[in-house]
Amino acid sequence: MRVALVSLTTTHHRDASPERRLRRVATSLADRGHDVHVFCARWWTNTDDTREEAGLTYHGVTLDETARQSFLLRAPFAIARADPDVVHAGATYPPAIAAASVGATLARTPLLADWYDPEGADGGFLTRRALTAPDRIVTPSRLVRTRLREHGADMERLQVVPNGVDFDLIRSTDPADERHVVYARRLDEGANLESLLLGLAELRDFEWSATVIGDGPEREAYEQQARDLRIEDRIEFVGELSREDRVAIYRSAHVFVQTARQCKFATELLWALACGCVGIVEYHADSSAHELVEGRERGFRTTSEQELADAIREAGEMEPMTVDEDFSGFDRGAVLDKYLDLYRELRSQYGLL
């Protein structure tokens, strides 16, 4: 199948969650033998219009990501010339979906939009078009789906397709040294690590150790808070780690705690749950993390530091695990199958099969 993936920016421009999600889809499709063409702003330095990398063909629609109007004008014709079987547009820049819809019409093929962050739905004409033109809009969580519906998207066209994890990597990675509690996120103002620190302070009389993965502008403040609470000798701040090192720690840990105030999809929580951790999520209205633990025996949803402390204590009574096959439906291969099923369904509706 030939797929036209449309996004003004890629991971070569910006290392952020929406771009990473699109790249995972693109590379997974290429690994399965599909012909993937990425229409984006140019990120390479030579004057070639296209560039091959990791099995993908990149088409430089504009010279750089600042030429937005030029991208909107040129993208439809570039897409149509590629003669794709399906157009898959990312909402990293929502008006690009409107341009992709014109390209899909010219190519007489369906359009699927991948909308990771509802904050981009600013109410402008092109954004409204981006919410109504696609034949299907996929979101990473029910939270984002609800937000897009509130912005005017048709509920019947909205579908959740989560991020995925690599179960082959999980199964092949040896667990690290034993850890009791793990937290992983960029340590910025939205991390809300203080909730976990206060909860751990409630458990001074119990034996535990904690590992904090991630770095950011608030790291020193959190380390100082741990010292103020007199629990710094039991918490290790390890900074940024590779995916392999994170998986090793998750496989050796018993509990993963998620307290961030905002989260479109709790990717690190999912990795930890798949590695057998008990998941504890502090509920916030702008976070989707609770969706991963709802209805699960090895999951807790809390609303206060005391509840969080109680959940850690209760989780300690559960059997340790190093992989949880209940999350195999989130394997990247299974997630890719969801996209492929959507492509085929949309093409069938178009009468193309």
Side-chain angles (χ1 to χ4, degrees):
M1 187 179 298
R2 176 171 289 193
V3 179
L5 198 152
V6 185
S7 177
L8 176 65
T9 56
T10 69
T11 54
H12 295 284
H13 301 94
R14 189 177 73 130
D15 185 23
S17 296
E19 283 84 358
R20 288 196 295 268
R21 175 176 166 96
L22 290 174
R23 180 172 175 82
R24 282 193 296 269
V25 174
T27 54
S28 295
L29 285 167
D31 289 344
R32 288 274 190 96
H34 297 281
D35 188 11
V36 183
H37 294 256
V38 182
F39 296 86
C40 60
R42 190 179 298 175
W43 48 266
W44 53 96
T45 56
N46 62 37
T47 59
D48 295 342
D49 291 333
T50 62
R51 183 179 178 91
E52 302 280 341
E53 184 184 272
L56 311 177
T57 301
Y58 288 89
H59 297 255
V61 179
T62 57
L63 291 178
D64 59 55
E65 66 271 25
T66 64
R68 293 186 169 189
Q69 290 300 319
S70 178
F71 185 88
L72 298 181
L73 292 172
R74 295 180 179 182
F77 302 103
I79 294 167
R81 285 195 297 270
D83 191 26
D85 296 308
V86 66
V87 178
H88 184 147
T92 58
Y93 173 54
I97 297 177
S101 73
V102 178
T105 299
L106 293 174
R108 298 183 179 181
T109 196
L111 170 66
L112 179 146
D114 210 313
W115 207 301
Y116 193 89
D117 190 344
E119 299 303 318
D122 59 9
F125 169 75
L126 290 177
T127 299
R128 292 198 302 273
R129 176 68 179 161
L131 288 168
T132 57
D135 299 287
R136 193 68 54 86
I137 297 176
V138 296
T139 68
S141 61
R142 299 197 306 269
L143 170 72
V144 178
R145 182 183 64 184
T146 299
R147 296 288 189 268
L148 293 184
R149 183 183 62 190
E150 293 168 351
H151 283 294
D154 186 348
M155 188 63 177
E156 293 184 356
R157 296 189 181 190
L158 291 167
Q159 183 168 335
V160 174
V161 177
N163 287 349
V165 296
D166 186 346
F167 262 78
D168 287 339
L169 175 63
I170 291 172
R171 296 186 186 104
S172 64
T173 300
D174 293 331
D177 296 335
E178 182 181 1
R179 320 281 174 122
H180 294 102
V181 179
V182 174
Y183 173 101
R185 190 190 183 278
R186 174 171 165 76
L187 300 181
D188 56 21
E189 61 183 10
N192 191 32
L193 180 59
E194 58 265 28
S195 286
L196 173 58
L197 297 178
L198 291 169
L200 291 173
E202 295 286 333
L203 301 172
R204 283 191 186 88
D205 296 334
F206 295 85
E207 286 195 16
W208 55 263
S209 63
T211 300
V212 176
I213 301 172
D215 211 338
E218 298 299 314
R219 176 172 174 173
E220 289 187 7
Y222 288 130
E223 289 177 337
Q224 181 59 53
Q225 186 175 12
R227 288 191 289 270
D228 293 341
L229 293 169
R230 301 192 305 280
I231 56 175
E232 75 278 8
D233 58 328
R234 301 165 75 175
I235 300 178
E236 183 180 12
F237 288 79
V238 297
E240 290 293 342
L241 296 177
S242 67
R243 172 55 60 202
E244 291 77 7
D245 288 341
R246 290 177 184 234
V247 168
I249 289 175
Y250 297 159
R251 295 202 75 189
S252 67
H254 195 68
V255 174
F256 185 95
V257 177
Q258 172 92 13
T259 58
R261 296 185 181 91
Q262 294 182 331
C263 183
K264 307 306 182 295
F265 185 85
T267 301
E268 292 303 317
L269 171 63
L270 175 60
W271 277 97
L273 292 172
C275 290
C277 289
V278 179
I280 299 176
V281 174
E282 184 176 73
Y283 176 80
H284 294 283
D286 290 327
S287 171
S288 68
H290 62 277
E291 297 176 18
L292 292 174
V293 299
E294 284 178 348
R296 296 186 181 274
E297 182 181 352
R298 295 175 64 84
F300 297 83
R301 193 177 81 167
T302 67
T303 58
S304 68
E305 289 82 8
Q306 184 58 58
E307 288 184 4
L308 193 153
D310 292 342
I312 293 175
R313 192 161 46 237
E314 186 174 345
E317 302 300 320
M318 296 182 174
E319 289 294 321
M321 297 175 64
T322 57
V323 62
D324 191 339
E325 297 292 346
D326 286 348
F327 287 90
S328 60
F330 289 91
D331 182 69
R332 285 177 178 169
V335 171
L336 179 62
D337 286 338
K338 294 180 188 294
Y339 279 108
L340 290 171
D341 287 345
L342 276 172
Y343 294 164
R344 297 184 184 106
E345 176 187 340
L346 293 174
R347 284 180 57 77
S348 177
Q349 292 172 1
Y350 256 63
L352 297 173
L353 292 178

